[in-house]
Amino acid sequence: MKVANEISRDEALTKLSAKGEPYELIDGKVFGRPCRVFQNGPKTLRELFEQNISDETFIVFEDERLSYRESYELAARVANMMISEYGVEAGDRVAISMRNFPEWIIAFCATTAIGGIAVAMNSLWNPEEMAYGLKDSGAKLLFTDQERIDRIKQIKDGIKAQVISVRADNQGEYPDLNKLLDNYQNSEMPLPEPAPEDIATLLYTSGSTGHPKGVASCHLNITTALLGWELDGQAGMMVNKIEPPVLEHQPATLLAVPLFHATGSHAVFLQSFRNQRKIVSMYKWDPSLAAELIDQEKITSFIAPAAMTGDLVQEARKTDRDLSTLASVGGGGAPRAPEQVKNIHDSFEKAMPGTGWGMTETNAIGTGIGGQDYLDHPSSSGRCSIVNEIRIVNEDGDQLPPKERGELQIRGSTVFKGYWDKPEANAEVFTSDGWMKTGDVAYIDEEGYLYIVDRIKDLVIRGGENIGCGEVEAALLEHPEILEASVYAVPDERLGEEVGATFYSQDSLDESELQQFLSQRLAKFKIPRYLHSQRVPLPRTASGKILKREIREQAVNQVLS
C-alpha cells in the first residue's frame, strides 16, 4: 500500500514529461518508426555543443586543461581545416583511433558539428582489424596516435583514408594536427549544420560471427538518450524526495573507459555538456591513480564495467585518499555480482551504486537502476527508460507474461538506424513493426524490473568488451593443424568472463606459438586465455552441430577445479 504523499516512478516520469515541462515528450518518428521524442532540448550534437559553451573546465588530461569554450573553438578550427585541407563534406566518414586524449573529443566534436560521421574505431584492434574498419566505413580521414600509426605501417598500402597524426613521436611521417592548425585560426564553426536524422556516429560492435558491424546512429538518437538519462535522474530524485545537491566545486567525472565505447562517448563524454561536468581523462586504468584523481579533482561520478569498479572498491579500502566527493558509481557493459553492489555502498562515504542495460545499438540507454533501488534488486538491470519500450517474446514472437524467459526486444527513439552497409543483418535484427532483437535471454518481473539471464548470441563479454565467438573460432581454424574449434565464455571474478577455447588437432601444438599465431589475426583481448587441446573430434549432435554447452561445462569445471 502506497503511503500518502509518496509518488511512484511512473507517476514521476509522467509528471516530468507532461506538456509544458522541460522534459515534455511528444509522439514523433525516427527513421519512420513511431516513438516518443523530446519537445525541448538539442536535436543535434552541434546544438548540444553550442548551447553549452562556457568558461567552466571541460577536459583535464594530466597537466592540460581546456574549458568548454576553448574546446569548442579548437573543434571549429579543426572543422575548418578538415573542409579546406581534405574536402570533408556532410556524410563523409572521419575515423578516430587513439587513446583518450583531448584530441579524440575535439575531432569528434568537429566532425559531428559539420554533418560528418564520426567513426569511433576500437583502439585495441590489430592492423588487419583496423584495415577492415577503415575499408568498411569508407573513412576519408583518420585521426590517430603513435601506437596506431605503428600498426598502420603494416597495412598502409591498403588504406585509402588520409592520416592526421596526434601526439606522434615520428614527426613528418603524417601531417601533425597541431602544425595543420597553425594555418587555421578561425574559431567560428563552419557550415553545414546537420539535421536531426543525419547519421552522426559509427561505433563498431562485435557480433556472434564474422567481422564487427558499424552501428549507424543519428543525432536525435544520441541527444534523446542523453535527455532520457537526465529525465530518469530527475524522476529518481522526485521519488526519493532528494533535492539537487549544492556543490562547492564543479561536478566532475572520471573518464577511464575507452571513448570508442558508447559508455565512454555517451554516458561520460556527451552527458557532461548539459551538466557542465569536468571530464578527467586517464591515459590507462590504474586504481591508485584513479583514487588520487578523485581526491585532487573532486570527482563526483565514475562509470565503468564491473572489473574497474571492483578495482576501485578494493582501492577504497586501503587508500588514504579522500574519496568523499564521489556520489555515484555507475556500471555497464557487463553485470555486477550482487556482492559488489553492496561493496560499493559500504566502501564509499557517499557514493551509491548504479547500473543499467543498454547496447551500442540503443546508444547505451535501455534500462537503469540505482541507489537503494539497486541495493534492493542487485541482480536486476533496472526498469525501462521512458523513451523506449521493452518486451520479452518466445520463439514465435509472442509476448510473454511477467517472469517468463524469452528474448529481450526493444524499440524507441534511441534505437539505431541499422548496421552500416549490412542489409541482411538489418533484416535479421529488426521485426516488421520496428522491434529490435537484442539476442539476450531475459525476463521482466511484475514491477517492471529487467533480469538478463543468458545470451542467444554467441558472445564473450570480457570487461565490457563484446567478443564474437565465431570470429575467434575462425582465427583458430586458420591454423593448418587445427581441424575443429569451439570458443566460449569462462567465468572470471574480475572481468566477468574470459575467452576459452577447445580445439581438435591430431598433433600437439605449443600454446605460446598458437597464441603468437592468433596475435596476427586477433586483437590481444580476443585471444583465448584458456586453451584446451584434444586429439579426437569435438562432440556433436545427431544433426552435426558442435555440443558447445557440453564442451564449455567441461572446460569451466577444469578451470575452476
Side-chain angles (χ1 to χ4, degrees):
M1 181 177 175
K2 195 167 74 171
V3 179
N5 297 322
E6 280 192 353
I7 185 171
S8 71
R9 176 177 181 269
D10 287 345
E11 289 169 338
L13 288 169
T14 298
K15 183 174 182 179
L16 289 166
S17 62
K19 185 176 178 61
E21 295 294 325
Y23 294 101
E24 179 184 349
L25 282 166
I26 59 173
D27 292 333
K29 289 185 177 181
V30 179
F31 305 131
R33 307 169 194 153
C35 56
R36 304 185 77 190
V37 296
F38 288 101
Q39 174 74 358
N40 307 307
K43 304 297 189 295
T44 68
L45 291 175
R46 180 169 178 147
E47 290 178 17
L48 176 73
F49 307 151
E50 292 179 343
Q51 290 171 9
N52 294 284
I53 295 172
S54 75
D55 293 321
E56 293 282 3
T57 302
F58 179 31
I59 307 169
V60 175
F61 178 72
E62 297 179 347
D63 296 330
E64 304 168 39
R65 289 175 184 265
L66 287 170
S67 70
Y68 278 88
R69 186 181 311 281
E70 290 168 334
S71 300
Y72 182 81
E73 291 176 350
L74 184 55
R77 291 171 59 198
V78 172
N80 280 297
M81 179 272 294
M82 288 196 296
I83 292 172
S84 296
E85 292 282 335
Y86 296 96
V88 172
E89 299 177 347
D92 282 344
R93 277 75 67 203
V94 176
I96 309 169
S97 183
M98 66 179 83
R99 296 253 181 189
N100 285 357
F101 294 132
E103 289 87 348
W104 199 109
I105 291 173
I106 300 302
F108 180 97
C109 293
T111 299
T112 55
I114 59 172
I117 300 173
V119 182
M121 291 179 60
N122 188 323
S123 61
L124 302 176
W125 279 349
N126 68 19
E128 294 304 319
E129 290 168 318
M130 288 186 70
Y132 172 81
L134 291 169
K135 182 179 178 182
D136 182 72
S137 65
K140 189 170 192 174
L141 195 58
L142 168 65
F143 289 88
T144 194
D145 61 7
Q146 186 63 54
E147 288 180 83
R148 265 45 61 177
I149 288 173
D150 291 341
R151 297 175 200 172
I152 287 171
K153 290 175 184 177
Q154 302 176 45
I155 53 165
K156 61 183 179 182
D157 291 341
I159 291 180
K160 293 182 179 180
Q162 298 189 73
V163 178
I164 294 177
S165 67
V166 174
R167 300 179 188 244
D169 301 329
N170 301 322
Q171 298 293 331
E173 187 168 4
Y174 294 108
D176 176 73
L177 176 60
N178 287 331
K179 290 182 179 178
L180 286 169
L181 291 180
D182 286 342
N183 297 321
Y184 295 91
Q185 300 301 321
N186 183 1
S187 58
E188 294 291 322
M189 188 65 72
L191 297 175
E193 294 189 14
E197 289 193 37
D198 286 348
I199 299 302
T201 59
L202 280 184
L203 274 65
Y204 276 81
T205 184
S206 290
S208 56
T209 59
H211 290 292
K213 298 187 290 289
V215 174
S217 294
C218 72
H219 289 259
L220 193 58
N221 287 151
I222 299 168
T223 59
T224 302
L226 304 180
L227 269 65
W229 279 318
E230 288 182 24
L231 176 53
D232 281 338
Q234 293 291 323
M237 287 194 291
M238 183 178 287
V239 168
N240 294 293
K241 299 181 175 61
I242 298 172
E243 292 295 324
V246 178
L247 299 176
E248 298 177 354
H249 47 79
Q250 183 185 2
T253 188
L254 187 64
L255 174 61
V257 294
L259 282 162
F260 61 76
H261 273 306
T263 300
S265 62
H266 292 30
V268 181
F269 158 38
L270 293 172
Q271 204 185 8
S272 294
F273 278 88
R274 283 168 55 92
N275 296 322
Q276 290 288 282
R277 283 191 315 199
K278 174 175 62 176
I279 299 172
V280 181
S281 181
M282 299 183 71
Y283 180 76
K284 65 178 180 179
W285 175 240
D286 179 332
S288 62
L289 177 58
E292 179 182 339
L293 291 171
I294 292 169
D295 184 358
Q296 290 180 351
E297 299 290 344
K298 306 297 185 235
I299 300 294
T300 52
S301 66
F302 176 55
I303 301 174
M308 290 172 133
T309 55
D311 289 346
L312 191 60
V313 164
Q314 296 300 318
E315 186 66 26
R317 291 173 172 172
K318 63 184 182 182
T319 187
D320 58 359
R321 297 285 181 180
D322 180 4
L323 309 184
S324 62
T325 57
L326 199 59
S328 66
V329 178
R336 285 193 182 103
E339 186 63 24
Q340 193 189 118
V341 180
K342 181 178 181 296
N343 287 342
I344 290 171
H345 178 252
D346 294 344
S347 301
F348 301 98
E349 184 176 329
K350 299 175 184 175
M352 291 295 279
T355 194
W357 169 88
M359 305 173 69
T360 307
E361 289 88 340
T362 67
N363 286 283
I365 195 170
T367 65
I369 189 169
Q372 188 60 47
D373 200 19
Y374 192 16
L375 293 169
D376 294 340
H377 305 84
S379 300
S380 175
S381 297
R383 290 177 285 188
C384 189
S385 167
I386 196 173
V387 297
N388 291 319
E389 303 171 80
I390 58 174
R391 69 179 185 181
I392 307 296
V393 301
N394 62 20
E395 292 181 357
D396 296 324
D398 302 318
Q399 186 164 347
L400 296 172
K403 290 199 169 180
E404 286 205 27
R405 297 183 177 193
E407 182 178 19
L408 172 63
Q409 296 186 347
I410 185 169
R411 69 179 178 185
S413 47
T414 73
V415 177
F416 75 136
K417 183 175 184 179
Y419 297 112
W420 185 258
D421 199 26
K422 299 284 187 297
E424 300 85 1
N426 295 329
E428 184 178 329
V429 78
F430 287 108
T431 67
S432 58
D433 51 352
W435 288 92
M436 180 199 158
K437 304 171 187 176
T438 67
D440 287 321
V441 179
Y443 68 88
I444 302 171
D445 70 13
E446 295 90 343
E447 297 179 273
Y449 288 94
L450 174 70
Y451 293 81
I452 306 290
V453 295
D454 203 350
R455 287 190 296 277
I456 297 171
K457 294 184 292 186
D458 202 5
L459 293 174
V460 177
I461 303 181
R462 180 187 183 276
E465 287 279 0
N466 284 4
I467 301 169
C469 293
E471 180 185 3
V472 181
E473 288 166 354
L476 282 162
L477 291 170
E478 286 186 33
H479 193 288
E481 303 300 328
I482 293 179
L483 305 176
E484 293 179 333
S486 179
V487 174
Y488 42 79
V490 177
D492 184 84
E493 185 175 344
R494 180 174 178 272
L495 296 170
E497 292 177 341
E498 270 283 10
V499 184
T502 299
F503 60 89
Y504 162 43
S505 174
Q506 294 179 338
D507 297 314
S508 177
L509 298 180
D510 181 81
E511 186 171 313
S512 61
E513 290 181 4
L514 179 55
Q515 289 182 330
Q516 176 62 30
F517 174 85
L518 293 174
S519 70
Q520 306 302 313
R521 292 157 176 80
L522 297 170
K524 185 178 180 181
F525 71 94
K526 299 177 184 178
I527 297 172
R529 177 180 176 185
Y530 302 104
L531 286 164
H532 301 280
S533 174
Q534 61 184 55
R535 298 290 185 92
V536 295
L538 302 185
R540 293 178 178 267
T541 65
S543 61
K545 292 183 179 179
I546 289 176
L547 288 168
K548 177 164 286 192
R549 187 179 297 275
E550 179 181 308
I551 293 170
R552 177 184 179 275
E553 288 175 358
Q554 291 177 354
V556 169
N557 289 335
Q558 186 175 338
V559 169
L560 299 180
S561 62

